[in-house]
Amino acid sequence: MMEWEIVIGLETHAQLRTNSKIFSGSSTAFGAAPNTQANAVDIALPGVLPVLNRAAVECAIRLGLAVGGKIAARSIFARKNYFYPDLPKGYQISQYETPVIAGGSLAIVVGQAGQSYEKTVALTRAHLEEDAGKSLHEDFHGKSGIDLNRAGTPLLEIVTEPDMRSAAEAVAYAKALHALVRWIGICDGNMQEGSFRCDANVSVRPRGSEVLGTRREIKNLNSFRFMQQAIDYEVQWQIATLEDGGRIEQATVLFDPATGETRAMRSKEDAQDYRYFPDPDLLPLEISPDWIARVKADLPELPAEMKARFESEYRLSAYDAAALTAGREICVYFADCVAAAGRENAKLCANWLMGELAARLNKEGREISAAPIPPLQLAALVRRIADATISNKIGKEVFDALWSGEDKDVDAVISDRGLKQISDGGALEALIDGVLAANPKSVEEFRAGKEKAFNALVGQLMKATRGKANPQQVNELLRRKLSDRDVLRPPD
Amino acid sequence: MINSSLKELGAALAEKRISSVELATLLIERIEALNPTLNAFITVDREKTLAMARDADRRLGAGLAGPLTGIPLAHKDIFCSEGWLTTCGSKMLANFASPYDAHVVQLMKAAGLVTLGKTNMDEFAMGSSNETSFYGPVKNPWDNTRVPGGSSGGSAAAVAARLTPAATGTDTGGSIRQPAALCGLTGVKPTYGVVSRYGMIAFASSLDQGGPMAKSAEDCALLLSAMSGFDPRDSTSLDRPAEDYRRDLEKPLAGLKIGLPREFFAAGMAADVREAVDEALAEYRRQGAVTVEVSLPSSGLSVPAYYVIAPAEASSNLSRFDGVRYGYRAPEYTDLADMYCKTRAQGFGAEVKRRILIGTYVLSHGYYDAYYLQAQKIRRLIANDFVQAFRHCDIIMGPTTPSTAFALGAKSDDPVEMYLSDIYTIAVNLAGLPGMSIPCGFGGEGGKLPVGLQLIGNYFDEARMLGVAHRYQLATDWHKRMPEEA
């Protein structure tokens, strides 16, 4: 049986967060009544002309800086000519031979905690273009409706090299890019509204082959789950086809979430000749070093930089550091938390953030920005665990109280509920004596060599203290007591 | 009154010797009388015109008038004009009432000019004889069996027949200068980027430029001052300070160096045209100018380069006419592709289709490098030729057209012959330079057909170019001659 290698490249359309369209002054807000946000330029009346929105260019520069790409001093807008009712001019203004951004890369972490690996995906280019309108095929009884609100919305198309070798890598890349475009504020990342959508070029080849297989392009993947499913299906289909002695024809395919299958939309023979040529209505886009410097000064610390910093300064694992920099919100939360808890407690902050807090948010379907426990409260909790005021286990009880909003102050919760850890040796000794006296059977069993009986005794003690006994101290004291033959001899 | 200059009309209006309403009425009546023969106007709307004239009269009465307030003006039907049909000479837009004004139309309104109507033109400005119009050919007022030139043939015929004191035109390869020459007018194509293209229906975006057509250089200077200026809605509009193009009108010609391109004076120019041009050059020498020979070695390639670049851009620019949102849609079709095909097959005329096909071909995969890229290189060579030539002269002169007005139908079956009628004008568009045509005599049988002298200025040198034309018009009266019919 031949071993196959999967090769994937992604093209992502990120809708840029500008107030107005890329070549007209119309609003880009989502959800307005059809054709209410389409002006003369957007509907391509005779005689109208495009004027480039500098804010869209600034978004491209931000991405270029964030991925370490080359920002072209001079790039050209070209017309991509084809007829479609939702394409008012009969051409889309895009960039073809000279894109605004060339090269760059994105680091990704693939897989689950403990078995993850890092990888760098090289970018080919990123270019600016305008979106088309929408064709509406329902509600018009045999006709189609056209909504041109989206026509002219600015897009940045970000293209990778065929660097990914599994659906998991493709999804990890898409997630990293999704986080990045939101991080640098150029795209709202709303996949349901189509603000961030991916096309995946998928091919397979015998492992060890240098030649790329024939690719099929899966269009318009608008969720990470669909991306995973679509690529998995496509790969399995391509391998099955080849193993059956078939050939892969270059094609564009669509993923149907209902069936979980991909199906061909058009083959290479149907490929259109777009007759690209430089748009004579627009001057070449010139970006000065000055402009780039201004944008750079305005850029936040980037996720890759923060990830590296978290690993070196806080000694976090690559997986943890990647998870904590997967989005601006979680990262800011973490940074605030560490600042208040002290950097020596960073790892504990990370554990709480990615453990209890993440689980709770996930369970309730909340975003971290809507977490009921602000970073400073979590930091206070972490500090009390770190200084042994409470145990990690009791920490969860405090966390619950904070989460429910019953209390806002960690120390108040601890004192009001008497959760302070019992670390006083004398007090603990007395308690242990009581437990040993009440459980002679367990003591006997332990002495007979049953280690389990020790745990039962610890459990009894914890029960008696409602979990507040310092577990480490309990262990030590209990062992000492049990080894002392004089202690707890059955009464004569 | 009908042969008065804009300055004279402005004075008559200011001194209340005539009102704008009276002037407009007089011209509308002339249009009603002569347009059935000439076919110079596609749309005339007496009520709209008179409403504007009344408004102008109020401004004149209130002392709020500028030098052009109340003067009627015709717009080539390529300029979108709010509330007016804007057909571009095509069935495709026969029902298109523009919801907005072109920048030029806005500026002309702001200057107080009164819109007299929309003039006939070659369909989508593709033609050199005004015979490709969906609305039928325009007749040359000097000889109704002959063409007025094109594509701004309606504007040219209207001014020549004194149906309007002035008109707007557009020039992609000679569409202002060539009809101005054939109809005995003064017409100016400014430097590319001086006049905003916003609202001017695009033919070939990198070549199109609007400009004035009138009786004299002085009139054109006045009009160009009003219609030019930076427009942020046109990315190719040049952000330069506003100019008064009359500033050099009186500048003497002594010492002016006139460059005569060797290639323009070679074979191909008709004898009557050569004679008139030579006589005009003699007049310039009499006024103290000197002529020097210059060379534009690549100019012979301008027609082929133009007929790659212009159709390429046009094929894309005209894609928006698809029957979906406005304009003509075929009454019957089976599906989307059929709707597109029938709409465009029925909505466009033969010449427009020819150029869309040429343009589509030269942009196609595998042909782009051989045609479009090559043509762009030639374009650069042509522009460089002019840069070289202007090192040796202040202005370039030559014929506007190789012959006087040709007969209707004479070239309509031979597109290449038709394209060659723009042989002297096209290079100017490819280089983006300002050029103009002024009347310099008559030729043809019995000497009844106007001949045009072409002036080509350096970039942004419109004021000087207009001054050079004006000094000639002070010494000659060719520009004051009217066809008998008028």
Side-chain angles (χ1 to χ4, degrees):
Chain A
M1 189 97 159
M2 191 181 283
E3 240 201 288
W4 296 94
E5 183 179 43
I6 301 161
V7 178
I8 303 165
L10 287 185
E11 294 170 19
T12 306
H13 287 91
Q15 184 177 311
L16 301 176
R17 268 181 56 186
T18 56
N19 295 325
S20 59
K21 293 187 176 177
I22 185 167
F23 298 117
S24 88
S26 302
S27 165
T28 51
F30 181 83
N35 298 309
T36 55
Q37 286 176 176
N39 68 13
V41 173
D42 306 319
I43 67 174
L45 282 184
V48 297
L49 296 168
V51 177
L52 179 61
N53 180 350
R54 286 174 65 88
V57 179
E58 213 146 296
C59 290
I61 298 173
R62 287 174 91 85
L63 182 91
L65 290 168
V67 299
K70 188 175 179 310
I71 297 160
R74 193 169 187 275
S75 63
I76 308 280
F77 284 99
R79 294 185 183 177
K80 179 180 182 179
N81 295 283
Y82 65 96
F83 286 97
Y84 204 68
D86 61 23
L87 187 72
K89 294 186 292 294
Y91 58 83
Q92 177 197 28
I93 304 177
S94 181
Q95 295 191 304
Y96 186 53
E97 282 179 342
T98 46
V100 62
I101 308 294
S105 64
L106 197 60
I108 60 172
V109 174
V110 193
Q112 297 306 308
Q115 45 192 15
S116 64
Y117 60 96
E118 293 183 84
K119 173 166 182 144
T120 299
V121 175
L123 301 183
T124 313
R125 61 186 277 164
H127 66 254
L128 286 163
E129 63 183 28
E130 58 179 342
D131 209 344
K134 270 183 193 157
S135 295
L136 310 164
H137 299 297
E138 288 154 26
D139 309 329
F140 292 95
H141 308 290
K143 297 184 176 181
S144 291
I146 306 291
D147 178 6
L148 295 177
N149 283 353
R150 202 181 63 181
T153 298
L155 300 176
L156 192 62
E157 182 174 336
I158 304 151
V159 184
T160 74
E161 291 292 299
D163 274 2
M164 287 149 283
R165 294 289 173 269
S166 66
E169 287 187 4
V171 170
Y173 162 79
K175 282 184 172 168
L177 182 64
H178 184 253
L180 180 65
V181 295
R182 292 171 68 217
W183 187 289
I184 60 177
I186 66 170
C187 174
D188 68 17
N190 190 323
M191 298 178 81
Q192 279 82 47
E193 291 175 6
S195 300
F196 185 92
R197 45 192 202 263
C198 298
D199 304 334
N201 282 293
V202 179
S203 64
V204 298
R205 62 182 172 190
R207 190 167 298 282
S209 167
E210 292 290 310
V211 192
L212 288 173
T214 305
R215 69 173 194 270
R216 304 214 309 165
E217 182 180 17
I218 315 171
K219 280 278 183 196
N220 263 330
L221 296 165
N222 62 357
S223 90
F224 299 126
R225 196 161 54 91
F226 291 165
M227 176 181 288
Q228 175 86 42
Q229 289 172 2
I231 295 173
D232 282 344
Y233 177 84
E234 178 65 23
V235 163
Q236 158 255 303
W237 181 88
Q238 287 191 16
I239 291 172
T241 302
L242 291 169
E243 288 183 344
D244 281 355
R247 277 183 49 204
I248 305 296
E249 303 284 350
Q250 195 175 322
T252 303
V253 306
L254 281 180
F255 175 68
D256 182 351
T259 61
E261 295 177 0
T262 55
R263 64 187 156 77
M265 199 163 75
R266 54 175 185 262
S267 73
K268 195 190 178 189
E269 285 74 55
D270 309 326
Q272 303 209 33
D273 181 351
Y274 292 117
R275 309 190 311 281
Y276 283 99
F277 76 108
D279 191 331
D281 286 332
L282 290 162
L283 303 175
L285 167 57
E286 287 180 353
I287 299 175
S288 64
D290 230 37
W291 193 2
I292 296 172
R294 277 200 308 275
V295 174
K296 191 169 190 173
D298 196 34
L299 214 56
E301 191 183 5
L302 296 168
E305 296 162 3
M306 292 190 102
K307 175 174 169 286
R309 195 157 62 78
F310 288 174
E311 288 177 63
S312 66
E313 284 184 22
Y314 301 155
R315 305 268 161 230
L316 298 188
S317 71
Y319 180 86
D320 287 354
L324 290 168
T325 52
R328 195 152 174 69
E329 293 79 8
I330 188 171
C331 189
V332 166
Y333 191 106
F334 176 66
D336 289 351
C337 192
V338 171
R343 74 167 43 182
E344 66 281 4
N345 294 323
K347 175 68 187 161
L348 200 50
C349 289
N351 290 348
W352 274 87
L353 184 41
M354 291 166 62
E356 198 63 21
L357 185 71
R360 248 356 142 72
L361 289 170
N362 194 35
K363 191 174 158 202
E364 298 188 10
R366 294 206 211 195
E367 294 296 322
I368 193 160
S369 51
I373 303 179
L376 294 187
Q377 276 185 22
L378 190 67
L381 174 58
V382 164
R383 263 203 319 269
R384 288 295 164 255
I385 295 168
D387 68 11
T389 303
I390 55 173
S391 66
N392 212 50
K393 198 165 168 213
I394 289 295
K396 290 191 179 150
E397 195 178 332
V398 178
F399 183 93
D400 283 343
L402 296 172
W403 184 275
S404 68
E406 283 167 45
D407 228 314
K408 299 254 174 278
D409 185 73
V410 170
D411 289 338
V413 175
I414 294 168
S415 65
D416 291 358
R417 303 187 177 201
L419 298 176
K420 193 168 183 309
Q421 191 159 253
I422 303 165
S423 305
D424 177 333
L428 276 178
E429 236 173 300
L431 283 163
I432 288 170
D433 288 346
V435 166
L436 295 179
N439 295 280
K441 206 169 166 225
S442 294
V443 174
E444 277 312 308
E445 281 172 7
F446 178 77
R447 288 191 172 147
K450 283 191 182 167
E451 186 65 20
K452 249 187 183 172
F454 184 79
N455 293 337
L457 288 168
V458 171
Q460 286 301 319
L461 190 87
M462 282 300 176
K463 197 173 163 193
T465 59
R466 298 198 357 261
K468 291 179 293 179
N470 183 324
Q472 214 179 333
Q473 270 183 306
V474 167
N475 263 313
E476 286 169 15
L477 282 173
L478 191 56
R479 281 202 191 276
R480 210 173 64 216
K481 289 258 177 200
L482 286 168
S483 62
D484 181 350
R485 314 292 304 183
D486 293 334
V487 175
L488 291 175
R489 196 176 289 281
D492 295 316
Chain B
M1 188 60 68
I2 60 166
N3 209 25
S4 304
S5 71
L6 297 187
K7 205 158 119 185
E8 289 161 351
L9 287 175
L13 287 162
E15 292 158 17
K16 311 285 189 301
R17 281 184 276 127
I18 192 167
S19 71
S20 179
V21 168
E22 285 166 338
L23 189 55
T25 307
L26 167 78
L27 293 168
I28 290 169
E29 279 163 10
R30 286 184 61 76
I31 294 168
E32 283 168 355
L34 294 174
N35 198 52
T37 311
L38 295 173
N39 198 26
F41 282 84
I42 292 174
T43 304
V44 181
D45 187 326
R46 179 186 279 261
E47 282 320 306
K48 277 203 188 76
T49 298
L50 291 181
M52 286 179 86
R54 279 192 291 273
D55 194 48
D57 281 333
R58 270 192 293 277
R59 283 208 258 171
L60 284 156
L64 300 169
L68 294 168
T69 304
I71 296 176
L73 172 81
H75 281 299
K76 183 176 182 179
D77 211 16
I78 200 168
F79 288 101
C80 287
S81 317
E82 190 177 345
W84 292 75
L85 279 182
T86 299
T87 71
C88 221
S90 181
K91 180 180 180 180
M92 191 58 94
L93 290 178
N95 63 0
F96 179 66
S98 177
Y100 78 104
D101 276 334
H103 189 64
V104 163
V105 173
Q106 268 181 356
L107 290 177
M108 292 315 216
K109 270 187 182 171
L113 288 146
V114 172
T115 305
L116 200 50
K118 306 293 295 286
T119 61
N120 204 342
M121 56 182 284
D122 279 301
E123 185 178 6
F124 286 105
M126 298 178 190
S128 309
S129 67
N130 217 116
E131 292 170 295
T132 72
S133 171
F134 173 64
Y135 297 88
V138 177
K139 313 287 169 52
N140 191 318
W142 295 91
D143 178 347
N144 289 343
T145 69
R146 291 178 186 272
V147 303
S151 65
S152 311
S155 287
V159 177
R162 305 307 192 243
L163 305 183
T164 178
T168 54
T170 61
D171 191 316
T172 305
S175 283
I176 287 175
R177 290 160 292 156
Q178 185 253 19
L182 303 192
C183 289
L185 311 180
T186 303
V188 178
K189 181 210 101 72
T191 305
Y192 183 79
V194 162
V195 171
S196 167
R197 295 186 295 114
Y198 192 82
M200 199 175 105
I201 299 175
F203 160 18
S205 313
S206 72
L207 300 159
D208 295 343
Q209 190 58 198
M213 302 175 81
K215 294 186 289 285
S216 68
E218 187 185 28
D219 286 0
C220 283
L222 200 56
L223 291 166
L224 184 58
S225 301
M227 73 195 282
S228 59
F230 176 60
D231 175 8
R233 294 172 301 181
D234 174 0
S235 307
T236 61
S237 169
L238 294 157
D239 195 356
R240 311 177 82 244
E243 282 195 59
D244 181 352
Y245 290 103
R246 294 173 300 182
R247 66 170 189 268
D248 285 342
L249 286 182
E250 306 302 330
K251 200 169 172 180
L253 298 180
L256 179 79
K257 269 197 193 162
I258 301 172
L260 306 177
R262 192 182 307 143
E263 295 77 9
F264 284 14
F265 289 86
M269 202 192 324
D272 50 356
V273 172
R274 172 174 281 269
E275 202 179 313
V277 168
D278 282 346
E279 183 43 48
L281 295 173
E283 170 58 31
Y284 272 110
R285 286 189 206 97
R286 274 196 290 281
Q287 293 200 31
V290 293
T291 54
V292 294
E293 191 183 78
V294 294
S295 180
L296 303 171
S298 302
S299 61
L301 296 170
S302 57
V303 172
Y306 176 88
Y307 278 98
V308 169
I309 294 167
E313 293 180 10
S315 69
S316 176
N317 284 333
L318 270 59
S319 293
R320 69 188 58 198
F321 306 112
D322 58 3
V324 174
R325 298 169 313 288
Y326 51 78
Y328 180 77
R329 181 190 290 184
E332 284 174 29
Y333 46 87
T334 55
D335 58 15
L336 179 65
D338 193 46
M339 191 279 280
Y340 283 147
C341 291
K342 289 207 170 97
T343 293
R344 290 167 67 83
Q346 295 163 16
F348 290 136
E351 182 61 27
V352 171
K353 285 180 205 163
R354 180 180 355 261
R355 297 201 195 184
I356 290 174
L357 288 174
I358 294 171
T360 304
Y361 180 81
V362 299
L363 289 178
S364 296
H365 188 72
Y367 297 95
Y368 179 85
D369 290 3
Y371 291 102
Y372 188 79
L373 273 190
Q374 206 64 11
Q376 290 291 12
K377 284 181 196 159
I378 292 170
R379 183 175 187 170
R380 214 163 305 134
L381 292 178
I382 289 168
N384 288 342
D385 281 0
F386 280 106
V387 170
Q388 290 299 322
F390 277 116
R391 294 210 170 121
H392 307 290
C393 62
D394 305 311
I395 194 162
I396 289 171
M397 288 190 195
T400 307
T401 61
S403 68
T404 53
F406 47 91
L408 283 157
K411 297 184 181 181
S412 37
D413 294 333
D414 188 345
V416 174
E417 184 67 18
M418 184 73 88
Y419 296 167
L420 288 173
S421 53
D422 293 327
I423 191 161
Y424 302 127
T425 49
I426 277 176
V428 177
N429 299 80
L430 290 170
L433 289 163
M436 67 186 292
S437 181
I438 57 175
C440 70
F442 286 85
E445 252 176 87
K448 285 180 178 162
L449 296 172
V451 175
L453 175 73
Q454 181 173 216
L455 284 65
I456 303 168
N458 211 336
Y459 296 104
F460 309 114
D461 219 3
E462 282 85 352
R464 181 70 180 132
M465 180 177 79
L466 285 157
V468 171
H470 180 66
R471 296 297 292 196
Y472 176 80
Q473 292 182 332
L474 287 177
T476 59
D477 71 346
W478 304 116
H479 63 292
K480 290 185 178 159
R481 307 274 183 98
M482 283 194 289
E484 270 168 37
E485 197 171 346

